[in-house]
Amino acid sequence: MKYFSTRGNSEALNFIDVLTSGTAKDGGLYVPENFPKFSKEEIADFETASYQDLASHLLYPYVEGFLSKDDFEQVVKNAYESFTIPEVVKLVETKNIGYVLELFHGPTGSFKDLALQLLPRLIGAVMKSDQRSLYVVATSGDTGGAVANGFLGVEGVKVVILYPKGKVSEIQEKQLTTLGQNISALEVDGVFDDCQEMVKNAFLDASLSSVQLTSANSINIGRWLPQMFYYFIAYRALKYKNKKLVFSIPSGNFGNICAGIMSQQMGLPINHFVASTNVNDTVPRYLKTANYEPLPTKQTVSN
């Protein structure tokens, strides 16, 4: 399978090249040329699959040709060896608003653990023995901790995490700054958007072209592809065969909802998505007005 830039002005890349790169040269994001389709019967077969088996079934079409099925299944097994359903992905019924999908039961308490246990192992499986990569990551707190935990000790990979001064919790800051080894954290005198801007500018800086620069933020397809899994888990737990299934998804960089929409494209019968945002509403305003106008970030109770 080939991957194309959303802006359409960069050459198509294969899975390995996309996995070990950041944004496309034209500033766009890489997306698959097509979405594997699963029938209702195949999706029904997933209802008894383990987390590892479900991940292998859903993701292998995207990596086929670069890892054998047996090798890929071993990578997934190593990544999710301790992940069981519903211990890691819990569906909790509420009195008034339906169900809440709890995704904070991974090793760092972030839903991003569900992708960032797999991404480093995928990188390790496809990298050449003499290859070196520098992962630059912006975080508002939870991404950085999950990245640090997932990439700790991975050979050939160095991780630099940028986080906004005074705007992550004490526990999150310790997750970022105390691991050492191949993990470095830099405190930025600004907000998360400043950190994100620094990461994006690094990818577009021609003077850094000699560095194998990569990101573990949502711009990396290896980050948000594995986030498809829990939509399938939620569907099979709810068994809403004859009811409309709607997901309301807290949205910052919109990688999580992108993964949900991909799962829908692959055959999951989701009726609707709600992109829930806080007062930092650049994307909703853009979709409504077609005018992209970022404003200074406002700190809220939701990061």
Side-chain angles (χ1 to χ4, degrees):
M1 183 181 294
K2 292 289 186 179
Y3 294 81
F4 293 86
S5 168
T6 50
R7 295 188 180 179
N9 296 314
S10 289
E11 62 177 331
L13 297 182
N14 63 38
F15 178 77
I16 295 176
D17 289 338
V18 168
L19 196 66
T20 55
S21 65
T23 54
K25 291 181 180 179
D26 62 3
L29 304 180
Y30 284 110
V31 292
E33 62 181 333
N34 57 61
F35 302 103
K37 300 289 186 182
F38 292 95
S39 66
K40 291 181 179 179
E41 292 74 22
E42 288 174 310
I43 292 174
D45 288 340
F46 296 158
E47 292 197 1
T48 57
S50 66
Y51 196 98
Q52 295 88 342
D53 288 344
L54 182 64
S56 296
H57 280 303
L58 295 178
L59 200 56
Y60 186 67
Y62 295 97
V63 306
E64 191 171 6
F66 302 101
L67 284 174
S68 71
K69 200 168 193 316
D70 288 343
D71 287 345
F72 180 69
E73 287 177 353
Q74 188 60 51
V75 169
V76 172
K77 181 180 178 181
N78 293 341
Y80 296 128
E81 192 168 6
S82 62
F83 280 43
T84 55
I85 304 168
E87 282 71 21
V88 173
V89 180
K90 295 184 178 181
L91 195 71
V92 178
E93 188 171 6
T94 69
K95 290 182 179 179
N96 301 315
I97 59 170
Y99 295 82
V100 173
L101 191 62
E102 293 185 353
L103 302 173
F104 52 78
H105 298 286
T108 74
S110 167
F111 80 89
K112 294 165 186 178
D113 287 325
L114 302 175
L116 284 164
Q117 292 299 303
L118 179 59
L119 176 59
R121 289 164 177 82
L122 270 176
I123 295 293
V126 301
M127 276 181 61
K128 298 176 182 177
S129 58
D130 60 344
Q131 195 173 355
R132 297 290 181 269
S133 286
L134 175 63
Y135 275 73
V136 184
V137 180
T139 186
S140 58
D142 53 354
T143 297
V147 169
N149 179 277
F151 278 92
L152 182 64
V154 176
E155 292 186 13
V157 173
K158 181 176 176 58
V159 177
V160 177
I161 301 170
L162 309 178
Y163 69 98
K165 181 179 180 179
K167 293 180 172 63
V168 302
S169 71
E170 183 179 354
I171 290 176
Q172 288 172 330
E173 189 167 27
K174 288 180 178 178
Q175 289 177 334
L176 304 176
T177 59
T178 60
L179 293 178
Q181 296 185 48
N182 60 326
I183 310 296
S184 300
L186 301 177
E187 186 182 60
V188 175
D189 190 7
V191 297
F192 168 73
D193 286 348
D194 297 313
C195 301
Q196 184 85 312
E197 189 69 17
M198 293 169 71
V199 171
K200 291 179 179 178
N201 286 339
F203 283 110
L204 299 174
D205 190 336
S207 67
L208 297 176
S209 60
S210 61
V211 180
Q212 179 69 58
L213 201 60
T214 311
S215 178
N217 282 108
S218 297
I219 61 178
N220 190 314
I221 197 166
R223 243 295 303 281
W224 51 265
L225 271 176
Q227 290 173 197
M228 296 184 298
F229 306 155
Y230 41 77
Y231 293 95
F232 284 84
I233 292 171
Y235 169 73
R236 81 180 198 181
L238 289 168
K239 301 190 188 318
Y240 275 174
K241 307 300 185 184
N242 299 309
K243 296 184 180 181
K244 293 180 179 180
L245 183 60
V246 176
F247 281 94
S248 176
I249 303 167
S251 299
N253 279 335
F254 295 79
N256 201 10
I257 196 169
C258 179
I261 292 170
M262 280 192 61
S263 70
Q264 182 192 51
Q265 293 292 314
M266 293 171 66
L268 199 62
I270 300 173
N271 183 259
H272 191 65
F273 292 93
V274 178
S276 305
T277 63
N278 59 22
V279 71
N280 299 291
D281 60 348
T282 299
V283 172
R285 285 188 292 104
Y286 166 72
L287 293 175
K288 185 177 291 185
T289 66
N291 182 32
Y292 182 65
E293 186 185 9
L295 300 175
T297 300
K298 296 180 180 179
Q299 190 168 5
T300 72
V301 292
S302 60
N303 56 1

